[in-house]
Amino acid sequence: MKDFRKLQVWEKAHQLALTLYHVTAASFPRDETYGLVSQIRRSASSIPSNIAEGCGRDGDAELARFCTIARGSASELEYQLLLARDLKFIPPNDYEQLAQQAIEIKRMLTVLVQKLNAES
């Protein structure tokens, strides 16, 4: 069992989730509360949640599996941010910064999964 709080990728994913909770509360229309806002928050929180769950499982193979799921959630988030930008719910500059964070997390997860699979 690993401590997820010690993983840099978990910390980055957690910070992105916190940021997105604030962004969606501030700039999205009220009628999107149960639509795109909910989807963005769910996929953003799913990333660090899956990393944490994987750390609580037995062995590197399980952690790698949950990191792969987290990477899928990051890809889902990447699209939702693009949709929010195109609907003009978030400004292009904010989109670029948030999307880059999601992409960086995906890259970090890919490297972690490769490392875990090599150790298994």
Side-chain angles (χ1 to χ4, degrees):
M1 185 161 72
K2 297 181 187 326
D3 183 355
F4 62 87
R5 292 171 201 87
K6 292 182 179 177
L7 292 175
Q8 186 179 19
V9 67
W10 177 84
E11 180 60 37
K12 286 185 180 285
H14 176 64
Q15 290 304 317
L16 180 57
L18 292 174
T19 299
L20 285 167
Y21 265 78
H22 293 294
V23 166
T24 55
S27 65
F28 280 63
R30 282 262 182 247
D31 63 343
E32 282 297 328
T33 299
Y34 301 106
L36 191 54
V37 168
S38 178
Q39 289 180 309
I40 288 172
R41 289 178 173 184
R42 200 167 38 249
S43 61
S45 65
S46 176
I47 302 165
S49 294
N50 275 294
I51 296 167
E53 185 172 354
C55 285
R57 298 289 179 133
D58 292 330
D60 288 347
E62 281 289 291
L63 177 54
R65 186 169 75 84
F66 277 89
C67 285
T68 301
I69 294 167
R71 191 174 56 204
S73 294
S75 291
E76 181 181 1
L77 176 62
E78 198 178 348
Y79 168 68
Q80 291 162 349
L81 291 171
L82 178 64
L83 179 59
R85 183 204 64 191
D86 290 351
L87 291 170
K88 304 201 182 337
F89 295 160
I90 54 176
N93 289 344
D94 290 348
Y95 162 77
E96 288 300 327
Q97 184 179 15
L98 295 166
Q100 282 307 312
Q101 289 176 46
I103 291 167
E104 179 184 11
I105 290 165
K106 283 171 49 176
R107 287 184 183 134
M108 292 175 78
L109 286 166
T110 297
V111 170
L112 180 56
V113 167
Q114 289 171 345
K115 181 180 177 218
L116 291 166
N117 287 335
E119 293 173 1
S120 299

